[in-house]
Amino acid sequence: MLQGGPALSIDVLVVFGVVAGAVALFVTEKIPTDTTALAVLVSLVVLREFTHVSADEAISGFASPATVTIVAMYILSAGVEETGAVKQLEVLVARLTQGDRDRLLTATVGITGPLAGVVNNTPVVALFIPMITDLADRTHTSPSKLLIPLSYAAMLGGTLTLVGTATNLVASSIADDLGVAGAPFSMFQFTPLGVLVLVVGSVYLLTVGQWLLPARIAPHDLTEEFGLKGRLARVYVPPSSSLVGRTVAEARTDDVKILQVVRGDQTLVASRTDREIEAGDVLTVRADDETVRAFVDESGLRRLPRAEVTEEELALGEGRGTLAEVIVPEGSGLVGRAVGETKMGERFDATVLAVRRGENLVVEDVSDAVLNEGDGLLVHATRNGLDHLEESGDLLVTERVGGGLDIEPEPIDVRQALLAIGIVVGVITVAAADLLPIAIAALGGVVAMVVGDVVRPADAYDAVNWEVIFLLAGVIPLGIAMEQTGAAALLASYVTAVSASLPAIATLALFYLLTGLLANLITPVASVALVLPIAVSTANEVGANAFAFVLAVTFAASTAFMTPMGYQTNLMVYSPGGYRFTDYVRVGAPLQLLLTVVTTLGIALLWGV
């Protein structure tokens, strides 16, 4: 026990035990995360003699402003999406990114961050989730690689202005009540620091963050959809091979289609090259395993057993190679003709790899398959050839890999779109002006959406991700227990005690870390309310700049990256990204430590300590 500080009582130990158990279950995912959250809720009441959490307090998370706000934001987002307005933005982003995954990630972070500085970050993420997941599907990218960056960028953007996040408003009010010079905050008072944090955080998300993020949801891959897994192979041409000196046309057989020639750092589309095969070339071929084995033996080749061929690799090559799905439309001149009779290779530099008819796939003897209306073909071709194929009118290109995105704008109900967007803007304006709490303003927006016939009541219920709601509602009482038993105050007292022997700037960093830790467990607003008075008191005791400590606590609370329940936008992307609890720790912990250094030094440079 610290002299004069909170005691390490049995009550505190029990709460820490519940926290440890909850974290263990969240990490291992032995049971669903929302079920774990409800188990925490029940445990706190069962152990109420130690946790001091009553039954009413345990279920208060279901009426928490954060919970209500997320429910409302899901519905508001669904209303805007229903009008087609989000699709228009998606078309614009698609044209800017042109199907490039790195550009899509850059656009996600680059648009979300600044926008979240002027619009509360929760509705920004709510509106962007459906757009980002759709674009991820179209660009054959795992949404897991985009949705945590979306949430984190919105959180970083929330540090730009006073209205970026509700935490800023709470911190401003508490600091003003404590009589801190410089409080309450003006709209752009800490924008320079916010810009620094946003830039550093964005660079991290575009580089290290991508390396750390797993692809929990597998990217959309046409080769797997058309049953070609195990039917694409790479073979090496040694100097002794009989193929050396022969052209691709001379080397291919009826059963073995050569799609690419990889020569050094060049990838040649086989149908476009009349070059002779050279020793050292690597050929990408399409055939079943037995046929590839025979081809290798007869031609003196060597198979590369670990070379897995993906759609992305098939979209490489000089001549602008691409892989595409095409549909045989009604009235096509190809209906009733076998694939081999269409002469697609001669006419369009195209090789048909597989045919799909409903749930049935044709992957053997493809050239003998007779085409019907509605059949889907997997085609490897040059992009120019694919363009000419589509211009012929006999086939409709529905999806191409590596060739950019061509999303046609859908019809939009302008009146309904303006009404939906106006409602969302109204919600944000009312909350930013402090006319109503954001939860009440958002519920008012839901009422307006339903009354205005933007969204139907049944669709409103379907729009809510209830797993997220139960997860948040279940862990909120844990914060109550930490506050009421003195567990949170005990942690803060240790930081205060340690600070006596540290330089002021190190104490500032410690309060940043403490606030960030608590924000990940008991919500950002609660961590600000708890830590800010202690931080200001400590600053006064050591003769430091109290305003600097206020900013450190505020920024730390706004960047709770390490748990899905740390911030509501983290919860919103949890299910769509297919994430695990550990993903937030893996990506968020290094970012939290990086921003501890950057924010502390930024505050010291701009305001002094």
Side-chain angles (χ1 to χ4, degrees), residues 298-343:
E298 291 171 7
S299 304
L301 303 170
R302 189 166 79 239
R303 186 167 184 176
L304 303 179
R306 296 184 181 180
E308 189 171 336
V309 183
T310 65
E311 63 170 28
E312 185 175 9
E313 291 163 328
L314 286 174
L316 300 173
E318 293 183 8
R320 297 172 61 79
T322 189
L323 192 70
E325 179 183 27
V326 299
I327 301 295
V328 181
E330 184 179 0
S332 170
L334 302 182
V335 173
R337 299 172 63 185
V339 169
E341 297 174 359
T342 63
K343 306 295 182 185

Side-chain angles (χ1 to χ4, degrees), residues 361-384:
L361 291 172
V362 178
V363 293
E364 299 290 349
D365 302 319
V366 176
S367 60
D368 297 331
V370 178
L371 298 177
N372 293 333
E373 290 180 357
D375 283 356
L377 312 180
L378 182 62
V379 175
H380 183 257
T382 62
R383 297 179 194 176
N384 287 337

Side-chain angles (χ1 to χ4, degrees), residues 26-29 216 562 580-587:
F26 281 135
V27 170
T28 60
E29 297 189 349
R216 293 295 182 199
M562 293 190 293
R580 297 176 184 170
F581 185 93
T582 51
D583 295 334
Y584 290 85
V585 179
R586 179 187 301 158
V587 184

